[in-house]
Amino acid sequence: MTGSAFEVFNLNIYPNPARDHVTIGYRVSRPMEIIISIRDVSGRLIYNVNRIHSITGQATIQWNGHNLDGLPIEPGMYFVTLVSGNDRSVGKLIVIE
């Protein structure tokens, strides 16, 4: 994670630890396209969304705790990544039973 990415994204994941639904919050300083992905500890893609953020400021997305196949994910540690161009911010998410 670069220092500029942290300032651009200001990533906030809550609740954390979580049982199912999670809110991924971020703040951007300029309009940009953001890609959000969630991966397990082995690097396997669990969930992703491409989101065009047309205004500056705070934004959130809700994630229901399901994988790309629509199934609930297993308890464990996951990594939430926000990417825009060369900027990247990664946060840790713990899912419990």
Side-chain angles (χ1 to χ4, degrees):
M1 173 173 64
T2 65
S4 64
F6 182 75
E7 294 171 14
V8 169
F9 295 127
N10 195 20
L11 179 60
N12 189 15
I13 304 164
Y14 57 93
N16 196 4
R19 294 191 189 279
D20 49 24
H21 288 75
V22 174
T23 299
I24 301 167
Y26 57 94
R27 178 178 299 278
V28 294
S29 59
R30 64 187 188 283
M32 64 180 70
E33 179 178 317
I34 295 176
I35 299 168
I36 300 171
S37 63
I38 300 173
R39 295 182 182 274
D40 64 15
V41 293
S42 70
R44 183 175 51 124
L45 182 64
I46 301 299
Y47 183 80
N48 74 322
V49 61
N50 294 333
R51 179 178 178 98
I52 297 175
H53 188 62
S54 60
I55 60 172
T56 60
Q58 184 72 31
T60 60
I61 67 160
Q62 303 294 315
W63 178 51
N64 65 4
H66 289 72
N67 63 21
L68 292 170
D69 295 324
L71 302 172
I73 62 167
E74 296 292 322
M77 185 168 55
Y78 296 86
F79 297 99
V80 178
T81 305
L82 277 69
V83 176
S84 180
N86 292 327
D87 292 327
R88 173 182 308 263
S89 183
V90 179
K92 192 181 336 178
L93 168 64
I94 304 296
V95 176
I96 58 177
E97 288 189 44

